[in-house]
Amino acid sequence: MAVSPRVFPPRKRWPSTGSSVSPKFADLNLVKSLLSLSQEISALKPIQCLLIQKSLSTINKSKLLAIVFEELLRNPVSTSFSPSILLCFEEMYIVFQRIKTLMEDCCSGSKMWLLMRIQPLANSFHELTLELSTLLDIFPVNELDLSQDVEELFVLVRKHCFQSKPSVDPRDDSLRRDVLALLHQIKKEIVPHHLKLKQILDNLGLRDQSSCREEIECLQDEIQNQIDEKSKLDIASLIGLLRYAKCVLFGSSTTQLEPDHRRRNSLSEIAVPADFRCPISLELMRDPVVVASGQTYDRESINQWIESGHNTCPKTGQTLAHTNLIPNRALRNLIAMWCRQQRVPFETVGSNEKVRGVKATKAAFEATKMTVYFLVNKLSVSPSMEAANAVTYELRALAKTDSDSRACIAEAGAIPILVRCLGSGVGSEHPNLQVNAVTTILNLSILEANKTRIMETDGALNGVIDVLRFGATWEAKGTAAATIFSLSGVHTYRKRLGRKTRVIKGLMDLAKDGPTNSKRDALVTILNLAGDRETVGRLVEGGVIETVIGVINVLPEEAVTILEAVVKRGGLVAIAEAYNSIKKLGVILREGSDTARESAAASLVTICRKGGLEIVAELAAVPSIERIIWEVMGTGTMRARRKAAVLLRILRRWSAGLDTNDVVDSSVMSVGTLTTMLPA
């Protein structure tokens, strides 16, 4: 008698085991379970705004049946039931579980999506009621010793169940048709009438910014619960409509946003496993891929590395036989699982082209365009800084969602207007406006085409650099550094940014003096700029080695990775500057993470081979350095083991008075070969 699962909407949670398996309770325990379950359904509130009659009727039936079960438990004579009664009770338990699940899902989900599925949901309520009606019809009530009043209640419930009809409230159906008509208008590029929008949202109980924002979040969650593509596309259209309605009906707000796309501030408080970090950017990988050498990198970072002219693996130094990038799906699934456990948002590269993995529909795209042009026009004529801040905040949130929104915002001419909000005068009086403006530009820069728009807009780059150097808050400075990181993803822009002394100066100051989040933003940007040999020279002149030595205890992985890149490309000046880092690198070899130890070993090999005997002597003076190196050779990554083997050979040749420059590079010889050549 169980209802087929296909008539139920996709759930946000797994149904309880009891909803699909008959309970194996003793007689009275089964009645107690039915009483408890019926009381739980009775305690639920009717569904708000929609399906009110259906949900209220279901709750009332559960209340009446709860009285029947209470009567059975109060009667000591009814201690044993016939097989037919027990079978009915077991089937009733299953139906009640399904009713409870359906009610809870309808109450906790999106109201707009509930409205779009009003007919199948009404059918679900009706089918469950018919199931209950059938059970009550065949139930041998005469075998029970019930009072006359309770027996009349039982008959009343049975009658009401039998009279159930699969109808939809005309008001609900009319409301659904109104929403569909609005979506059709938007698809035809017709701006919806504001009064009609307000009427629909009022009927759904969406009467302010907060309720609209919560509804949008519910719809975004619903997308993840859908299996068929059409449902996902329909929800994407509803999200676009609600975003537009929220802006035009309720204005703009400045409620705190979650961390933006690249900054991911929530990650700064969490220790990200080393295997989940990209060896290039040192950030959590969103789209891990495997290169020809077998090493894994984040797709964006390794693409930038290859596009800048490199044909080697950044970790191993091997020449890549090909530049094909193979998705590491197993690792991506592990990262996604870890993010869910840590409650960290996980966005894949595909989210640049899709909203939560769904391509935009015509209606969603046109709704986005309408929202953007409304906001940009409002920003251009904002009468006050407070009003401008509220609109900029909305643009910031919208620019974070998907590539269509980023493209529309840039095409609507928002960048020159945002640039006016970057100045120090704005920052001193309205620091939040400066933060929102530079963050919006950061979010826009995620789209490749917008990088060019930003770089070519008069004053945009200089405005970002000014915020980096003189921003009113550390958050503004860190976001400016993140924006420069994003722009430097294009090779020509990286070289252009690396030539600007103000950029290097601003990054150095931020890395030295900023809080941990801002330091990390600065260091990751410095590392990206260090991919260009010409820029490395300017970084060395700007004091990059002194800077990373100063922060090596706070952010060891980022610091030693930069040091490795700089000493590799910076020439003798960089080697000389790195002399003071040797002891700290020795500490990293002993205590650092696998990634940090690998970079530390590689840095020491370069420094010792190019720096001469004096530098090798400084390394040899580090207490227990040979034992530390042996530990790295035994427990480090493959590349760390090779570098450590070369480093140990350098020390042995130095102690024997031989030339350390003749040591064969670790990429040529294996660890086993090197260790067998060492004296006992």
Side-chain angles (χ1 to χ4, degrees):
M1 288 187 183
V3 181
S4 170
R6 62 184 174 80
V7 302
F8 291 94
R11 295 184 174 88
K12 291 188 174 183
R13 53 187 171 79
W14 294 105
S16 60
T17 305
S19 65
S20 56
V21 179
S22 298
K24 300 300 181 185
F25 298 137
D27 295 4
L28 287 181
N29 285 338
L30 180 55
V31 178
K32 289 178 183 178
S33 298
L34 282 167
L35 174 61
S36 175
L37 196 50
S38 60
Q39 288 175 336
E40 288 176 12
I41 297 172
S42 303
L44 295 174
K45 294 181 180 180
I47 301 171
Q48 297 297 309
C49 304
L50 302 168
L51 292 169
I52 298 174
Q53 291 301 321
K54 293 284 186 186
S55 59
L56 189 58
S57 175
T58 301
I59 290 171
N60 289 336
K61 291 183 183 71
S62 297
K63 288 180 179 178
L64 294 177
L65 287 174
I67 296 174
V68 176
F69 299 137
E70 286 176 345
E71 173 79 3
L72 289 173
L73 290 174
R74 280 197 300 267
N75 190 345
V77 177
S78 302
T79 56
S80 179
F81 302 116
S82 67
S84 58
I85 290 178
L86 287 175
L87 180 61
C88 286
F89 279 162
E90 289 176 357
E91 291 295 325
M92 204 176 294
Y93 184 91
I94 294 173
V95 173
F96 277 0
Q97 278 282 10
R98 291 183 178 277
I99 289 173
K100 181 187 174 189
T101 300
L102 180 61
M103 287 280 293
E104 289 177 343
D105 284 349
C106 288
C107 290
S108 63
S110 157
K111 295 176 182 177
M112 191 74 84
W113 185 234
L114 185 68
L115 177 63
M116 292 297 100
R117 304 193 68 252
I118 201 77
Q119 184 65 62
L121 288 171
N123 291 342
S124 294
F125 276 102
H126 174 65
E127 289 200 24
L128 285 172
T129 304
L130 288 184
E131 287 286 334
L132 187 59
S133 174
T134 302
L135 288 170
L136 296 178
D137 278 343
I138 65 174
F139 190 85
V141 67
N142 295 331
E143 296 182 15
L144 301 176
D145 186 17
L146 296 176
S147 66
Q148 183 177 354
D149 290 342
V150 173
E151 189 169 340
E152 288 176 356
L153 281 179
F154 184 91
V155 174
L156 179 64
V157 175
R158 183 170 60 192
K159 179 181 177 182
H160 284 175
C161 288
F162 180 76
Q163 292 173 346
S164 173
K165 296 180 181 179
S167 59
V168 175
D169 189 318
R171 173 186 165 278
D172 292 349
D173 189 57
S174 175
L175 189 58
R176 183 183 70 88
R177 293 177 185 277
D178 287 343
V179 172
L180 292 175
L182 278 184
L183 291 174
H184 184 70
Q185 284 183 9
I186 292 174
K187 193 183 298 185
K188 298 291 185 181
E189 303 182 27
I190 301 172
V191 177
H193 198 283
H194 292 184
L195 289 178
K196 191 65 178 177
L197 266 178
K198 189 175 189 308
Q199 180 186 355
I200 291 173
L201 265 61
D202 279 344
N203 288 333
L204 289 171
L206 306 174
R207 300 184 176 93
D208 53 30
Q209 273 265 352
S210 176
S211 58
C212 275
R213 187 165 46 249
E214 289 175 5
E215 177 66 12
I216 290 172
E217 290 173 357
C218 285
L219 284 169
Q220 290 172 334
D221 290 340
E222 286 287 359
I223 286 183
Q224 307 306 313
N225 301 323
Q226 302 307 311
I227 299 173
D228 62 301
E229 193 67 20
K230 184 181 183 303
S231 295
K232 294 181 179 182
L233 296 175
D234 290 343
I235 296 174
S237 298
L238 295 174
I239 291 173
L241 173 62
L242 268 178
R243 281 181 181 147
Y244 175 74
K246 178 171 73 75
C247 290
V248 300
L249 296 180
F250 308 120
S252 307
S253 72
T254 53
T255 306
Q256 182 63 35
L257 275 173
E258 65 181 273
D260 284 283
H261 179 88
R262 202 201 70 82
R263 292 179 58 75
R264 296 188 288 273
N265 292 334
S266 57
L267 285 175
S268 64
E269 301 174 359
I270 301 172
V272 179
D275 290 340
F276 293 172
R277 289 181 181 268
C278 174
I280 298 175
S281 68
L282 300 179
E283 292 202 344
L284 183 71
M285 287 188 279
R286 302 286 164 164
D287 188 15
V289 293
V290 180
V291 298
S293 63
Q295 300 294 325
T296 297
Y297 302 92
D298 197 40
R299 184 184 296 274
E300 182 180 0
S301 298
I302 192 62
N303 268 335
Q304 291 176 6
W305 172 267
I306 294 171
E307 289 169 4
S308 63
H310 297 93
N311 65 344
T312 57
C313 173
K315 282 188 72 173
T316 65
Q318 286 180 252
T319 299
L320 298 176
H322 57 78
T323 57
N324 297 335
L325 304 178
I326 302 169
N328 191 336
R329 292 188 177 89
L331 179 58
R332 183 172 60 181
N333 291 338
L334 288 174
I335 294 173
M337 187 184 304
W338 179 84
C339 285
R340 285 194 296 272
Q341 292 171 351
Q342 301 295 329
R343 304 185 70 180
V344 173
F346 181 70
E347 301 170 7
T348 62
V349 169
S351 62
N352 286 353
E353 287 72 39
K354 303 179 182 180
V355 180
R356 299 284 180 107
V358 181
K359 292 180 179 178
T361 62
K362 172 69 172 173
F365 179 72
E366 292 301 331
T368 297
K369 281 179 64 176
M370 291 177 186
T371 306
V372 166
Y373 279 92
F374 174 82
L375 290 172
V376 172
N377 182 62
K378 192 174 180 180
L379 180 61
S380 65
V381 296
S382 293
S384 65
M385 290 295 184
E386 288 77 10
N389 183 40
V391 177
T392 304
Y393 172 90
E394 293 293 342
L395 286 171
R396 165 184 172 174
L398 193 57
K400 180 184 169 186
T401 56
D402 54 59
S403 60
D404 285 336
S405 298
R406 297 179 193 115
C408 287
I409 292 171
E411 290 168 2
I415 296 174
I417 303 174
L418 291 168
V419 169
R420 301 203 297 260
C421 303
L422 299 179
S424 56
V426 173
S428 60
E429 296 183 15
H430 300 277
N432 287 340
L433 175 56
Q434 187 182 64
V435 169
N436 284 329
V438 73
T439 306
T440 305
I441 292 176
L442 166 62
N443 290 342
L444 292 176
S445 71
I446 296 169
L447 185 66
E448 208 68 18
N450 283 348
K451 289 179 170 64
T452 301
R453 289 189 176 104
I454 294 169
M455 294 295 287
E456 293 180 354
T457 298
D458 287 342
L461 180 57
N462 286 333
V464 172
I465 296 173
D466 285 343
V467 175
L468 172 66
R469 296 200 62 194
F470 311 113
T473 63
W474 289 118
E475 182 182 0
K477 292 182 177 182
T479 306
T483 306
I484 291 172
F485 171 89
S486 179
L487 295 173
S488 65
V490 178
H491 180 61
T492 54
Y493 297 155
R494 183 189 306 167
K495 295 179 75 70
R496 179 176 164 186
L497 290 164
R499 294 191 187 105
K500 292 187 176 292
T501 305
R502 292 190 305 147
V503 170
I504 293 175
K505 172 66 174 170
L507 292 173
M508 296 302 170
D509 291 343
L510 185 60
K512 290 176 184 176
D513 305 325
T516 302
N517 288 350
S518 300
K519 287 179 187 292
R520 181 176 286 109
D521 282 323
L523 292 176
V524 169
T525 306
I526 289 170
L527 178 60
N528 209 36
L529 294 178
D532 178 64
R533 188 176 296 274
E534 181 183 341
T535 302
V536 169
R538 293 189 176 88
L539 288 171
V540 173
E541 291 174 7
V544 67
I545 293 180
E546 179 185 352
T547 299
V548 297
I549 291 174
V551 301
I552 201 167
N553 294 332
V554 180
L555 296 168
E557 289 189 9
E558 289 84 349
V560 295
T561 306
I562 291 173
L563 194 59
E564 178 188 356
V566 170
V567 297
K568 182 178 179 180
R569 303 185 184 98
L572 293 177
V573 176
I575 298 298
E577 292 277 347
Y579 178 81
N580 294 326
S581 70
I582 290 176
K583 290 183 178 178
K584 290 199 172 185
L585 288 174
V587 174
I588 297 295
L589 276 182
R590 183 177 69 246
E591 302 174 357
S593 66
D594 286 346
T595 302
R597 293 164 78 195
E598 179 182 310
S599 292
S603 300
L604 286 170
V605 168
T606 302
I607 293 170
C608 290
R609 292 187 65 192
K610 296 181 178 179
L613 298 178
E614 184 179 352
I615 286 183
V616 181
E618 181 73 8
L619 176 62
V622 174
S624 306
I625 186 61
E626 286 200 13
R627 181 181 59 80
I628 294 169
I629 293 173
W630 275 108
E631 288 179 0
V632 175
M633 290 173 63
T635 62
T637 65
M638 287 303 298
R639 180 169 180 255
R641 295 180 186 187
R642 290 197 300 268
K643 293 295 182 181
V646 174
L647 198 57
L648 187 59
R649 184 164 175 77
I650 288 173
L651 285 174
R652 290 293 177 86
R653 289 182 67 86
W654 170 82
S655 64
L658 302 175
D659 187 358
T660 59
N661 291 325
D662 292 336
V663 178
V664 181
D665 190 84
S666 59
S667 61
V668 178
M669 300 186 67
S670 66
V671 176
T673 303
L674 286 164
T675 52
T676 55
M677 293 173 62
L678 298 176

